[in-house]
Amino acid sequence: IRYVNEKTIEIKCPSFIAWGRLDQVIPLGSVKFLYDLCTNEQKILKKYDDLSHLLLLSPNCDELVQDIEKFLVEGGNS
């Protein structure tokens, strides 16, 4: 986390950032920090109440998968 925080200055591409409230590895503050570095208007930060750090390995990740698909198809324009 420290390396990313120190080395990342700006994220210019469209970005979809997903975070699970049950994540015990990445704190929400770090996620918000990266989101704030996104300068492209097409950026989304979505929090999932019942997902952990291994988002896509969670048995209830259907909403996340749908959100990712939508972001890829619509390019962040929802």
Side-chain angles (χ1 to χ4, degrees):
I1 294 172
R2 182 179 297 125
Y3 177 82
V4 171
N5 288 349
E6 292 173 356
K7 301 295 181 187
T8 306
I9 298 169
E10 179 181 29
I11 302 169
K12 297 178 182 179
C13 62
S15 301
F16 180 87
I17 300 173
W19 181 76
R21 290 191 194 278
L22 303 177
D23 192 329
Q24 296 177 322
V25 179
I26 306 298
L28 180 57
S30 294
V31 174
K32 288 181 177 179
F33 175 79
L34 284 178
Y35 179 80
D36 290 340
L37 293 179
C38 297
T39 57
N40 192 303
E41 290 183 17
Q42 297 171 325
K43 64 180 185 176
I44 294 173
L45 168 57
K46 180 92 185 259
K47 301 171 204 153
Y48 298 88
D49 290 332
D50 52 352
L51 297 181
S52 65
H53 184 70
L54 300 173
L55 299 166
L56 290 171
L57 296 179
S58 299
N60 49 348
C61 67
D62 294 340
E63 180 183 0
L64 170 62
V65 171
Q66 291 172 1
D67 290 342
I68 292 170
E69 289 174 346
K70 181 177 179 181
F71 182 80
L72 293 174
V73 169
E74 296 178 4
N77 297 320
S78 48

